[in-house]
Amino acid sequence: NAGVTQTPKFRILKIGQSMTLQCTQDMNHNYMYWYRQDPGMGLKLIYYSVGAGITDKGEVPNGYNVSRSTTEDFPLRLELAAPSQTSVYFCASSYRLPSNQPQHFGDGTRLSIL
Amino acid sequence: QKEVEQDPGPLSVPEGAIVSLNCTYSNSAFQYFMWYRQYSRKGPELLMYTYSSGNKEDGRFTAQVDKSSKYISLFIRDSQPSDSATYLCAMSAEEYGNKLVFGAGTILRVKS
C-alpha cells in the first residue's frame, strides 16, 4: 500500500545549489504531477506528465525541470535554488484525466532555500 | 482576482456542529468540482467529486454545486475532532486540459 512516495521529506539548500526531488508511484498510473504549496496560496501545478517520455509545463514551471523515463518515477530537478523556491512540494498521480479520476498525493517534501 | 476564492479561516466549531465550507470561482467553463482534505504534514486526499451542478452525499459529507452562482459548498454533519484539517476545493475544465485549479484551503478546527 505504498501509493505515492516522495523523498526526501525535508531538505535545506543554499542559494545556487541544485537537487532532485524524487517521486515514485506503484499504482501503474499514467498521469503524474508536481505541485508546490505556499501558505495561503493553494496548490500550483509545476509540471505534469501523461506517460513515460511525455512531459509538459504547468502554471509555474520556471526554475524547474522534469523527466519521465518510466511509468513509476517522475523526479523534479531544481538547478539553481533560489529563496522563492522555498515551499512544500507534492507529487501526485492519477489513472486518467484528473477531472474524473482522483489524484493520489504523496506526503510532500519541505524545502527551504537559505 | 483569483480564479478560485476560498476563505482561509481558521473556522473553529464545537464537536457535533454542522460545518459549511465554500468556494467561489470566476471561470464558467469549470465543470468538475472536487473537495480534498489535508491533514497537517500530509498530502491532500480526495473527499468528494461532483460533475456540473447538483448535490452529492457521502456519509456525513454533502457537496453542492451551483454553477449559476459559481459557488460550491461542502457540508459536514455531526463534525468530529478528527475532521480538523485543511479543506481544499479544486475544479477543472476540458478546455484547459482538465488540469486542476485549487483554492487556497480553509483550516477547520473541531473542538471536543
Side-chain angles (χ1 to χ4, degrees):
Chain A
N1 292 340
V4 177
T5 302
Q6 292 183 240
T7 56
K9 294 189 184 303
F10 306 94
R11 185 73 183 268
I12 298 174
L13 281 182
K14 294 182 179 178
I15 295 171
Q17 286 185 322
S18 62
M19 79 163 292
T20 299
L21 282 66
Q22 302 290 346
C23 176
T24 299
Q25 54 93 7
D26 62 359
M27 296 170 283
N28 202 32
H29 285 165
N30 304 104
Y31 288 68
M32 295 188 73
Y33 319 84
W34 274 105
Y35 294 91
R36 60 178 288 172
Q37 186 176 36
D38 301 308
M41 298 295 291
L43 288 152
K44 302 291 186 185
L45 182 64
I46 305 171
Y47 271 95
Y48 67 101
S49 169
V50 300
I54 306 171
T55 62
D56 206 349
K57 295 177 181 179
E59 185 181 356
V60 290
N62 291 343
Y64 307 95
N65 278 300
V66 294
S67 59
R68 184 97 180 268
S69 57
T70 66
T71 299
E72 295 79 18
D73 301 308
F74 190 40
L76 177 71
R77 178 84 177 162
L78 281 72
E79 290 295 349
L80 289 171
S84 61
Q85 294 177 305
T86 293
S87 189
V88 182
Y89 291 85
F90 287 101
C91 178
S93 70
S94 66
Y95 178 52
R96 288 201 298 266
L97 290 172
S99 56
N100 55 16
Q101 293 289 325
Q103 289 192 26
H104 297 263
F105 285 81
D107 284 337
T109 293
R110 284 156 182 79
L111 182 62
S112 293
I113 315 295
L114 303 175
Chain B
Q1 182 189 8
K2 293 181 181 178
E3 268 195 297
V4 180
E5 297 275 3
Q6 187 175 7
D7 188 332
L11 177 63
S12 186
V13 300
E15 183 177 356
I18 296 174
V19 175
S20 173
L21 302 167
N22 311 294
C23 286
T24 59
Y25 61 95
S26 57
N27 189 344
S28 58
F30 287 136
Q31 55 197 148
Y32 300 94
F33 303 92
M34 281 140 273
W35 286 95
Y36 283 81
R37 178 175 62 195
Q38 184 177 20
Y39 290 115
S40 180
R41 300 193 172 275
K42 292 291 187 182
E45 56 178 333
L46 183 68
L47 259 185
M48 299 286 286
Y49 159 78
T50 53
Y51 171 69
S52 195
S53 286
N55 294 359
K56 185 173 184 179
E57 188 173 323
D58 184 1
R60 296 184 296 111
F61 299 90
T62 300
Q64 286 186 352
V65 175
D66 182 348
K67 291 193 72 179
S68 62
S69 301
K70 298 190 183 71
Y71 189 88
I72 68 171
S73 300
L74 177 71
F75 297 96
I76 307 174
R77 291 182 297 280
D78 188 24
S79 56
Q80 304 294 310
S82 58
D83 294 326
S84 298
T86 297
Y87 290 80
L88 300 153
C89 63
M91 47 199 79
S92 67
E94 288 183 11
E95 67 186 61
Y96 297 113
N98 285 302
K99 291 187 279 291
L100 290 181
V101 178
F102 283 85
T106 298
I107 298 170
L108 172 65
R109 295 175 182 152
V110 181
K111 297 180 178 179
S112 58

